[in-house]
Every structure is written in structure tokens, then in C-alpha cells.
Amino acid sequence: MITKEMTVMQVMNMGVQYEKVFERFMLTCTGCPGAQSETLEEAAKGHGVSLKKLLEALNQAAEEPTEA
């Protein structure tokens, strides 16, 4: 389960499907130096994104099969 305490990079390292979720929320985290240490909660707050909706989308992506 993905939680608000996880860093952006922790989630992105879990699979490519998460990068698509970040992009959908206009969080272009790839290559961002803050992604290493910024939690999902901090990223959502800093970019004006609903933390609840972001976590729901990320956890839903966790249940989807990854592309081979």
C-alpha cells in the first residue's frame, strides 16, 4: 500500500505505471531533485493536488498489471 509518508522516488522506483499517475496529476517528478526526499504529502501540498485523490490513483495503479 502506498502511503503519504513515502517519497516520490520510492513510488516511482516501484514501476513505470506510477509515473503515468504523477503525470496525470501534473506532477512532473522525473528528474526533479525534490523527488528524492519529498514525501507524497509534501508533493501534493506543494503542487496544489488533492492528496486523497493522488493516493487513490497510485494505489489503484498498484493493482493493475504492469506492461511487459
Side-chain angles (χ1 to χ4, degrees):
M1 178 173 184
I2 296 172
T3 64
K4 66 181 181 177
E5 293 85 10
M6 295 175 77
T7 66
V8 171
M9 193 54 69
Q10 281 178 306
V11 176
M12 290 185 66
N13 286 337
M14 293 169 58
V16 295
Q17 71 270 35
Y18 301 107
E19 188 172 342
K20 293 175 184 175
V21 174
F22 285 117
E23 288 173 358
R24 200 167 72 227
F25 282 85
M26 305 304 285
L27 297 172
T28 52
C29 301
T30 304
C32 174
Q36 292 290 334
S37 60
E38 196 170 56
T39 65
L40 295 175
E41 183 174 34
E42 293 166 336
K45 184 176 182 180
H47 294 279
V49 169
S50 165
L51 176 62
K52 180 181 177 185
K53 289 181 180 180
L54 177 61
L55 288 173
E56 286 173 356
L58 289 169
N59 280 300
Q60 182 178 359
E63 298 172 9
E64 297 171 1
T66 58
E67 297 175 9

